[in-house]
Amino acid sequence: MAISLPNATAYVINTNAILSVPEPASYTVSLWFSLPVIGTPANYRTFFSNSSSIELTTDITGTYIDFGSANQDINYTANGPLIANQWYHTAMVVQANSASSHYVFGYVNGQLVITSNDITTYSTSSGVSMGTYNGVGGGPLNGYLRN
């Protein structure tokens, strides 16, 4: 069963202080998603984010997958834009070397597609969100998520 996130105010998970991610932290986020419309609205659509701004989203046009951070977008564009109503499996592995150096590995449908070193300095995350940016309503998903 998929979870539907149809509007700008709904989000599935917002842990706030319940789940914090200390820096430097290494972790993996893995999920399935499907978007009913691609590129509309032309904005980020958030699958996962934490309060220190490491995120898995679409890019600003809403047409490609974006791995990494708010300060260092790493867009996956090699296979062209996303296709409406198609399910994608994506995973992001964050390997922290320090609070200011995170290797980000992005996977789409089981294939490694992005490898980058994000050198943004992060503080301890005070929570994670799915479906909206940091649980504050930005970058609403308007789509479906599955485990």
Side-chain angles (χ1 to χ4, degrees):
M1 180 169 99
I3 298 169
S4 174
L5 298 168
N7 63 52
T9 59
Y11 51 88
V12 178
I13 297 173
N14 180 14
T15 64
N16 293 327
I18 297 169
L19 175 65
S20 64
V21 180
E23 288 298 338
S26 297
Y27 53 90
T28 299
V29 176
S30 173
L31 55 87
W32 288 87
F33 73 90
S34 177
L35 303 175
V37 178
I38 304 299
T40 304
N43 198 353
Y44 293 103
R45 292 197 252 172
T46 305
F47 307 118
F48 165 87
S49 73
N50 68 27
S51 64
S52 62
S53 296
I54 295 178
E55 54 203 30
L56 177 58
T57 67
T58 64
D59 71 328
I60 189 122
T61 67
T63 56
Y64 299 99
I65 300 172
D66 184 359
F67 299 90
S69 70
N71 295 326
Q72 186 170 340
D73 290 337
I74 310 158
N75 297 333
Y76 171 61
T77 60
N79 284 351
L82 297 168
I83 299 169
N85 298 309
Q86 179 171 319
W87 283 96
Y88 294 89
H89 183 262
T90 188
M92 180 174 64
V93 178
V94 177
Q95 177 186 341
N97 297 321
S98 69
S100 61
S101 176
H102 294 75
Y103 285 100
V104 177
F105 303 92
Y107 295 83
V108 176
N109 296 329
Q111 300 297 311
L112 177 63
V113 297
I114 295 292
T115 302
S116 180
N117 185 18
D118 187 333
I119 57 172
T120 304
T121 300
Y122 296 102
S123 58
T124 296
S125 168
S126 61
V128 299
S129 299
M130 295 182 80
T132 189
Y133 180 73
N134 291 339
V136 295
L141 179 58
N142 188 23
Y144 301 93
L145 294 176
R146 305 182 65 142
N147 57 351

